[in-house]
Amino acid sequence: MSYPKMTVNLETIKNNVRSVVGLCNSQGIKVAGVTKVFCGNPRIAKAYIEGGVSYLADSRIENLIRLKELDIPKIMLRLPMKSEAEKIVEYADISLNSELDTITSLSEKALEKGKIHKIILMVDLGDLREGYYDEKSLFNSIEKMIELKGVKIIGLGTNLTCYGGVIPTKEILNRLAKLEKQIEEKYNIELEILSGGNSSTVHLLPDNKIDRLNNLRLGESLVLGTESAYGEQIEGTKNDAFTLQVEIIEVKEKPSLPTGKIGRDAFGNIPTFIDRGVRRRILCAVGKQDVDFEALYPLDEGIIILGGSSDHLILDGSDSEVDYKVGDIIEFRMSYVGILRGMTSEYVEKEIIE
């Protein structure tokens, strides 16, 4: 067996998806399952589909290409680059957009392929990432977009929390619903999708009915069962679908303070240390090139993560009840970021359990 290794439990993922999709469906909301966290792995994406998602969604066209054989509508989440317009039209049924120039390129490529590419226009409601911030600019762009052939505006969307940390509220999302209604009346078009963000919006369900909201783009709530606004576990879900196993390569008693003058570490930072005396230090064969140490949570509560470097993870095992030896395996749960980094690293083995 090769380490470090991430183990993925498909049954747990399916159970999470069923629970979250059921919650959303009860409010008339369809779920787009975000696959970027596991790099568009088709086997894991199938668990999403079996759990009941209505779409698959990803930020990278390479991942959507991996999913091309799965018969379900696919959404390009990140605003498309003009240079990838042809691939977007070929492998995504829908894309999120906020730039007229890019939509024009999509229109041209769609016409070449004899397709109609669907567009969700993004509106920035204050988180300051993508989307139209000024309504006048949005309306001016729509007037030009509706004249384009090969593309069709099918909805509005927004993203919250990811950059600015803005928590979705009923009042904020009702602004999006009001804007959708204005656009439909002004331009005599029907917008079939109102996409109210990501897993941070789930905290509003089921107590807050958002007018017109009928789509959410969910990743964390499906793989971990948590809403991302406050980190609360969603009823009926589990947070252990993904686990990381790492192998111990050294166990030694050492002081907890380095000896000598302290300068910058391998990543350009000046480290600080807590003097705990002589401690049992455990060195593992995984590093910052593979995972985010702050996103790891040891299953053994007696272990303290001290830090590490690009290739090494350093643990304090003095308080553990386990007498760890070289060659033993230590397991971790991970946050969403931890799963993302581990699944992306080619140096981390992946084992998918049916």
Side-chain angles (χ1 to χ4, degrees):
M1 186 60 68
S2 179
Y3 296 98
K5 179 180 71 175
M6 286 187 68
T7 299
V8 186
N9 189 310
L10 293 186
E11 196 57 43
T12 300
I13 292 175
K14 280 188 277 188
N15 177 74
N16 285 354
V17 175
R18 290 189 193 103
S19 296
V20 176
V21 167
L23 174 63
C24 292
N25 286 174
S26 70
Q27 301 292 302
I29 297 170
K30 292 184 177 180
V31 172
V34 176
T35 60
K36 66 179 181 179
V37 67
F38 47 80
C39 301
N41 183 292
R43 290 179 64 190
I44 306 175
K46 285 180 182 178
Y48 271 16
I49 296 171
E50 292 173 15
V53 301
S54 299
Y55 311 83
L56 295 178
D58 208 290
S59 297
R60 313 225 188 263
I61 192 61
E62 294 86 352
N63 292 341
L64 291 181
I65 292 173
R66 292 189 186 100
L67 300 170
K68 64 182 179 180
E69 301 301 327
L70 299 181
D71 186 20
I72 187 172
K74 300 174 187 70
I75 302 174
M76 179 65 178
L77 291 177
R78 186 171 63 187
L79 304 182
M81 295 182 279
K82 290 180 67 175
S83 60
E84 64 182 0
E86 184 172 1
K87 289 182 178 179
I88 299 295
V89 169
E90 181 67 28
Y91 297 105
D93 303 284
I94 305 166
S95 61
L96 311 184
N97 285 270
S98 67
E99 289 289 346
L100 179 60
D101 282 352
T102 303
I103 295 172
T104 300
S105 294
L106 293 170
S107 168
E108 293 168 355
K109 296 302 180 182
L111 286 173
E112 290 177 7
K113 295 179 178 294
K115 291 186 172 185
I116 301 295
H117 183 71
K118 298 176 181 178
I119 301 293
I120 293 176
L121 293 177
M122 296 299 285
V123 178
D124 189 338
L125 296 178
D127 203 59
L128 300 183
R129 202 177 72 175
E130 76 272 51
Y132 286 91
Y133 192 81
D134 177 65
E135 290 184 11
K136 182 178 179 181
S137 175
L138 171 62
F139 290 142
N140 288 340
S141 293
I142 290 175
E143 289 180 0
K144 297 172 183 175
M145 291 174 197
I146 58 179
E147 299 299 323
L148 295 173
K149 307 297 181 182
V151 291
K152 180 183 180 182
I153 303 171
I154 65 163
L156 293 184
T158 194
N159 194 75
L160 296 164
T161 313
C162 284
Y163 172 70
V166 175
I167 302 291
T169 65
K170 185 174 182 178
E171 291 71 26
I172 289 175
L173 293 175
N174 278 340
R175 286 171 51 200
L176 191 67
K178 181 180 178 181
L179 193 57
E180 180 192 49
K181 185 177 180 181
Q182 291 175 341
I183 291 170
E184 287 184 330
E185 292 175 352
K186 182 177 179 65
Y187 299 105
N188 193 31
I189 58 176
E190 181 179 353
L191 300 178
E192 60 188 77
I193 292 178
L194 191 70
S195 187
N198 52 51
S199 293
S200 65
T201 303
V202 176
H203 83 97
L204 293 172
L205 309 178
D207 299 326
N208 294 275
K209 175 66 176 176
I210 310 299
D211 292 340
R212 292 173 168 254
L213 180 66
N214 61 9
N215 176 273
L216 289 175
R217 312 178 304 276
L218 305 181
E220 179 172 337
S221 59
L222 303 186
V223 298
L224 285 173
T226 50
E227 54 80 19
S228 58
Y230 300 100
E232 296 295 326
Q233 198 72 32
I234 300 166
E235 185 177 352
T237 66
K238 296 181 179 180
N239 63 2
D240 59 356
F242 291 76
T243 57
L244 175 69
Q245 294 89 38
V246 302
E247 184 173 341
I248 297 172
I249 56 176
E250 178 182 289
V251 181
K252 294 190 183 302
E253 301 288 329
K254 295 186 181 183
S256 47
L257 291 179
T259 303
K261 184 178 180 179
I262 304 299
R264 298 187 183 277
D265 64 18
F267 289 83
N269 303 309
I270 299 177
T272 58
F273 303 92
I274 298 173
D275 188 358
R276 296 187 175 96
V278 175
R279 305 286 286 183
R280 194 160 195 252
R281 296 168 76 88
I282 300 172
L283 208 61
C284 298
V286 70
K288 292 182 179 180
Q289 187 169 355
D290 311 300
V291 294
D292 182 345
F293 295 162
E294 294 181 357
L296 300 181
Y297 305 95
L299 298 189
D300 181 345
E301 295 180 356
I303 286 178
I304 300 171
I305 297 176
L306 298 175
S309 57
S310 56
D311 310 304
H312 301 83
L313 171 64
I314 304 173
L315 309 172
D316 184 335
S318 302
D319 298 331
S320 173
E321 297 180 358
V322 179
D323 183 20
Y324 289 106
K325 307 291 186 184
V326 170
D328 287 348
I329 305 302
I330 297 180
E331 290 191 87
F332 300 83
R333 284 193 304 102
M334 292 162 287
S335 70
Y336 187 75
V337 171
I339 297 170
L340 180 70
R341 290 278 292 276
M343 290 298 292
T344 301
S345 174
E346 65 177 280
Y347 303 110
V348 177
E349 185 82 8
K350 282 80 178 180
E351 180 182 19
I352 299 177
I353 301 173
E354 297 289 345

